[in-house]
Every structure is written in C-alpha cells, then in structure tokens.
Amino acid sequence: MNIIVLTKVVPDIERVKFDAARGVVDRSSAPQEINPFDLNAIEEAARLKERHGGRVTAISMGPSDAEQALKDTIARGVDEAILLTDKKFAGSDTLATSYALSQAIKAMGDFDIVICGEKTVDGDTGQVGGEVSERLGIPYLPYTSRLDYEDGKFKARVELENMIYEVEASPPLLVSVTKDINSPRLPGFREKLNARKAQVKKMDAKEIEADEGLLGFNGSPTWVYKIEVPEEGQRNGRIYKDPERGLKEIMAVLESRGLI
C-alpha cells in the first residue's frame, strides 16, 4: 500500500507569541513541532502500513528550517519525509498550499490513500484536505474517526455535525482524521536516533512542475483585512445564599443580554 500523509510544521501553540503591531504570529518565538492534529494522521498511516504492508511518505510545505521538526515523522513510522521549500511558496493561503501539495503528490506517481489531520492549530481552517482532493480528482472523507481496509476498499466512520456515516470507498482517496481515531505513539530512543540520521528530501517549485502563477501570493485570493487580539476577560463571581433570589438575578442577567 502506498500511503501519503500531509503534515505541517507549526510553532508550539502554547508558547508562541503574537505580534500585535504587525498582526502576525511570531513564529520565531517558540520551538517548531509537527501540527498536533497531524500526529493522528501519521499514526493512522503507520498502522495501515503495519497491518497491510507498504510505504508511508510524509509531505510538508514550509521554510528550509522546518527540516529538523519534520524528522519527527520518521521517528513515528514514516519511511520518507519530503519538504516543499521555495521562496515562491511564501505567502500561500490554503488554495495555493493545496495546489503545491497536489503537484507534489502527482509527481510521486500512483498512491492508494492520502491522510491528513482535520485542521492545523495555527490556521484552523480545515480546508486544505478538501482542496487537495479536489485538485487530485479523488473522493474526500472528512472528519474520519475510524478507518479500516478490507477486500480492496477503505471503510470509514465519518462524523458530520449530528450525523455519523459509515462509508466505503475504493482507492485512491483522501481522508482527514479527527483526534478520536487513535492515540499517537511516542517514539523510542532508537526511533529518534534513526530519525536524526535520516535525510529529508527537499523539492522546489520547478521539481513539482508547478505553475508559478498559482503559488504564493500570486495564487492566494485570500487576504487578511484585520487581526485583533481580544482582551482577556475576568469572571465576576457571586455567591447566593438565598437560592430563590439568586435564581431571579441570574434570569434577569440572561434576559438583559438577550440569551433567553
């Protein structure tokens, strides 16, 4: 089975700082790591390989210094990691990103399944998976919480709002997985050591035969108009010794705010 997993290197969201003056995330303010949602995608790819045999390739797009963080995918069961890095990729929105990723997948040849996390912690759009599947012309199963392979077909549980769907699909297809699908493994010392010695393959826009007009700022119709950092509010605690009085005051506050 030829498995491709899409990953993104992001700053540690718990330590990263926001540059309010420039309206951007200061990515240099925190260590880089694999997007937490992508760890579930990597784990599911590794489990498919272990059950059915095959090969797992991780593809990521980012600056050249993302190489070290990307080696973590190898420690977690990936056979080869590919980093798409080129100044022409700079400023890409989800549409331009999906184009670059889909071109890299096409350059690899035949595959059975592409797996990605449902979203990234820095962008939180959840759009790239669906856009990549559209560009590749293959079925897309979003928000997948269970994935099996049997008799030449993938069987998935897809959770959309109030509905749960049991779906069968023939390869090739693209699946975005939720955090409920598995618990990502922790690499051991030997896996980390082997990953440190591994080479991350780098590819630029020319190698994936990309149209430069569809990359970076040129291929990104999305523009951020304004970013605001909300002030942290404080809770006003109150203790009511008289339940009836307390209930009346709570109802009055909810009514004044149009909540009931």
Side-chain angles (χ1 to χ4, degrees):
M1 186 179 294
N2 191 359
I3 307 163
I4 298 172
V5 60
L6 303 180
T7 65
K8 185 178 182 181
V9 175
V10 299
D12 185 338
I13 203 66
E14 295 183 357
R15 299 167 65 180
V16 72
K17 297 179 180 179
F18 187 83
D19 187 340
R22 297 169 54 209
V24 296
V25 173
D26 182 5
R27 295 180 179 272
S28 64
S29 65
Q32 293 186 332
E33 62 181 11
I34 298 297
N35 173 50
F37 288 96
D38 294 341
L39 296 181
N40 298 96
I42 295 167
E43 176 65 24
E44 199 61 25
R47 292 187 183 191
L48 280 175
K49 182 182 73 170
E50 290 167 354
R51 292 196 299 263
H52 306 287
R55 180 176 176 81
V56 178
T57 304
I59 302 178
S60 182
M61 188 179 84
S64 58
D65 60 1
E67 178 180 358
Q68 292 304 314
L70 197 56
K71 288 186 177 183
D72 185 41
T73 65
I74 297 175
R76 294 174 180 272
V78 167
D79 297 292
E80 181 182 27
I82 298 175
L83 176 62
L84 307 182
T85 184
D86 194 316
K87 291 182 178 180
K88 295 170 184 176
F89 298 144
S92 294
D93 65 359
T94 60
L95 193 65
T97 298
S98 68
Y99 172 67
L101 291 173
S102 63
Q103 286 296 110
I105 293 171
K106 291 176 182 177
M108 291 180 57
D110 295 336
F111 61 91
D112 296 287
I113 186 171
V114 180
I115 308 176
C116 65
E118 65 173 273
K119 58 185 177 182
T120 59
V121 294
D122 58 346
D124 201 28
T125 64
Q127 296 174 347
V128 171
E131 291 176 353
V132 170
S133 71
E134 179 68 19
R135 291 187 182 279
L136 294 175
I138 59 177
Y140 173 51
L141 303 183
Y143 304 109
T144 299
S145 60
R146 190 184 69 205
L147 183 65
D148 300 302
Y149 182 74
E150 186 178 340
D151 298 328
K153 290 186 178 181
F154 288 97
K155 298 182 180 181
R157 171 177 290 175
V158 176
E159 300 187 18
L160 296 175
E161 296 182 351
N162 298 327
M163 301 295 292
I164 297 177
Y165 298 89
E166 299 290 341
V167 183
E168 285 189 2
S170 298
L173 76 161
L174 190 148
V175 175
S176 69
V177 299
T178 68
K179 294 184 74 67
D180 296 327
I181 195 168
N182 57 47
S183 296
R185 69 192 68 187
L186 293 175
F189 176 77
R190 179 177 297 177
E191 288 78 16
K192 290 182 178 180
L193 185 61
N194 291 336
R196 188 179 302 176
K197 298 176 182 178
Q199 296 293 319
V200 174
K201 182 179 179 180
K202 295 182 179 180
M203 299 180 71
D204 58 21
K206 184 177 181 180
E207 289 176 284
I208 62 174
E209 299 182 357
D211 181 343
E212 294 184 15
L214 300 177
L215 298 173
F217 287 109
N218 293 331
S220 301
T222 306
W223 291 85
V224 178
Y225 171 70
K226 186 179 182 181
I227 296 178
E228 295 182 352
V229 180
E231 296 182 4
E232 294 186 12
Q234 299 294 326
R235 292 187 176 185
N236 296 320
R238 295 185 183 182
I239 299 176
Y240 297 99
K241 295 184 179 181
D242 183 346
E244 186 174 347
R245 179 188 171 191
L247 181 59
K248 288 182 179 179
E249 289 195 25
I250 292 172
M251 294 296 290
V253 171
L254 293 177
E255 287 179 354
S256 67
R257 298 184 180 183
L259 298 176
I260 59 174

